[in-house]
Every structure is written in structure tokens, then in C-alpha cells.
């Protein structure tokens, strides 16, 4: 589930909360942080970023088995010997290709336009604490924005409310401009401003 395609057990192992009303695998920020920790753990276990990327796709157990069968810790050798599944053999080159294109898109025929010309894909946001069980509609009214805007920033809150529990839950909201005065209800308290610049958009020229 989610941008990083976490299985439920792996997501939980790397700190993502999942319950009836929340699935943080759908939170682009929390899931990205978890994915980075997972990749770092895989690299420490397997000793190679190529193998870590392969294990992210196919699972560490499957890659460890391929290493035993193939008698090598070289991803390219394991791929050549076809001891890894076809999807995993293709996943690593695709990952590397995307990285190369991202570093120099113009070289590969992609034209980058400022997000402002096309509409911000990911706006500047900040985080507020919300009481357990508080609906996102309350957050929207307190913030002075439309409910759908808060909902779109928090797709992991599948019940459209903060999860039940004993602690306040952090919810993403649009960042305030410096000149704006906070107008939060007592149920919500601002923590910090998340540094999230708009994402640039790519278009094939």
C-alpha cells in the first residue's frame, strides 16, 4: 500500500501506524522516512546498495536465498545467473535509470517547468497536534480551509479523524504565511513548520 508499496508487517516494523482508522503507509512523508530507514537497514544487512534495492522489491529472504544459490554477492552476477525473479532483476536497473534521469533530466529529453506554472504538486505544509478522535472537519474549520484540502494532505487518516488513543496525533495542514495569525482552537496546537517546497513537474519534450 502507498507510494512505497509497504507490506503491513514491514510498515509496522519501521514505525508506520496501522489500525482501523489510520494507515500511515499512505502518508507520503512518514512512508518516505520509513522507506529510507528500511533501505539503510537492508544495506547494512546485505552490504550493497544494489542488493538493498533488490531486497526492497523482492524481500531480504529471497535475495539472501539468491546469494546462496548463485554463490555471489554481486547483484549483476546474480541477475546474469537468473537466480532472482525477473521483476527484481528489472527493478534495480529501472531504479538506477530513474536516478540518472532525475540528476540530469534535460540530457534525457525531459523539460522541467516550475510547479507554479502548472499548479503546486506538493504545497508547503506544517504539522499540528490534534486530540484523539477529533475529525478532520474540525481541523479544517480551525485552519480556515476547505475540508477536502486537509483530507488530501492526510490520505492515511482513512476515517477522516485523528486515531483514538491517549496521545494527540500530528496532522498535516497548509503552512501559514508569516503575516497570518494562528487561529487554532484549543484542541489543536502548532508544532513546527515542515520544509516542503513545491515539487517540480517533468514533461517529455
Amino acid at each position: 500500500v502507498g507510494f512505497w508499496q509497504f507490506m503491513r508487517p514491514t510498515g509496522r516494523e519501521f514505525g508506520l501506524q496501522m489500525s482501523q482508522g489510520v494507515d500511515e503507509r499512505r502518508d507520503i512523508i512518514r512512508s518516505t522516512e520509513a522507506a529510507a530507514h528500511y533501505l539503510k537497514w537492508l544495506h547494512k544487512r546485505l552490504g550493497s546498495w544494489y542488493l538493498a534495492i533488490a531486497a526492497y522489491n523482492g524481500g531480504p529472504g529471497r535475495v539472501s536465498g539468491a546469494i546462496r544459490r548463485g554463490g555471489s554477492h554481486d547483484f549483476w552476477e546474480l541477475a546474469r545467473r537468473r537466480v532472482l525473479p525477473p521483476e527484481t532483476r528489472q527493478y534495480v536497473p529501472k531504479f538506477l535509470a530513474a536516478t540518472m534521469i532525475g540528476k540530469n533530466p534535460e540530457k534525457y529529453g525531459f523539460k522541467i517547468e516550475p510547479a507554479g506554472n502548472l499548479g503546486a504538486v506538493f504545497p508547503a505544509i506544517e504539522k499540528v497536534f490534534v486530540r484523539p478522535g477529533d475529525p478532520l472537519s474540525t481541523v479544517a474549520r480551525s485552519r480556515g480551509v476547505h475540508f477536502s484540502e486537509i483530507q488530501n494532505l492526510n490520505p492515511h487518516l482513512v476515517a477522516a479523524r485523528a486515531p483514538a488513543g491517549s496521545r494527540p496525533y500530528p496532522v498535516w495542514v497548509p503552512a501559514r504565511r508569516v503575516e497570518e495569525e494562528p487561529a487554532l482552537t484549543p484542541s489543536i496546537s502548532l508544532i513546527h513548520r515542515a520544509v516542503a517546497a513545491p515539487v517540480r513537474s517533468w514533461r517529455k519534450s
Side-chain angles (χ1 to χ4, degrees):
V1 167
F3 183 81
W4 289 99
Q5 290 293 284
F6 269 109
M7 299 290 285
R8 187 176 289 269
T10 309
R12 282 208 176 97
E13 184 177 353
F14 287 88
L16 297 177
Q17 183 177 341
M18 281 160 275
S19 64
Q20 187 174 3
V22 60
D23 189 344
E24 291 183 344
R25 294 176 295 175
R26 300 176 185 273
D27 183 326
I28 184 62
I29 295 175
R30 291 181 176 93
S31 66
T32 298
E33 291 173 346
H37 287 302
Y38 184 33
L39 279 166
K40 185 177 180 180
W41 180 84
L42 290 169
H43 176 260
K44 184 177 181 179
R45 172 174 171 171
L46 298 168
S48 160
W49 282 115
Y50 295 147
L51 292 177
I53 296 168
Y56 192 97
N57 173 260
R62 184 170 291 171
V63 170
S64 295
I67 291 171
R68 289 193 299 271
R69 293 192 304 275
S72 174
H73 282 78
D74 186 312
F75 166 79
W76 305 107
E77 182 64 19
L78 298 178
R80 186 184 70 80
R81 296 183 183 183
R82 298 181 178 272
V83 291
L84 289 166
E87 180 184 337
T88 302
R89 295 200 305 266
Q90 297 165 10
Y91 184 81
V92 174
K94 288 179 179 180
F95 191 105
L96 298 175
T99 302
M100 293 171 66
I101 293 171
K103 288 183 176 180
N104 193 353
E106 288 84 2
K107 178 180 178 180
Y108 299 99
F110 288 88
K111 181 181 179 182
I112 292 184
E113 298 186 20
N117 294 343
L118 302 173
V121 177
F122 197 89
I125 60 173
E126 56 192 18
K127 191 188 295 183
V128 295
F129 275 160
V130 177
R131 291 184 306 191
D134 270 10
L136 292 184
S137 57
T138 300
V139 181
R141 286 195 300 271
S142 300
R143 204 66 180 179
V145 298
H146 197 274
F147 167 71
S148 62
E149 192 169 356
I150 300 296
Q151 193 174 35
N152 288 340
L153 291 176
N154 298 276
H156 56 292
L157 297 178
V158 294
R161 63 177 61 247
S166 58
R167 297 182 180 180
Y169 185 84
V171 171
W172 300 114
V173 298
R176 290 189 177 279
R177 295 188 298 271
V178 175
E179 64 272 16
E180 289 181 323
E181 290 293 329
L184 303 176
T185 65
S187 67
I188 304 172
S189 60
L190 184 64
I191 307 174
H192 66 82
R193 184 176 299 250
V195 182
V199 175
R200 293 187 172 207
S201 300
W202 289 3
R203 186 174 67 186
K204 185 76 173 176
S205 61

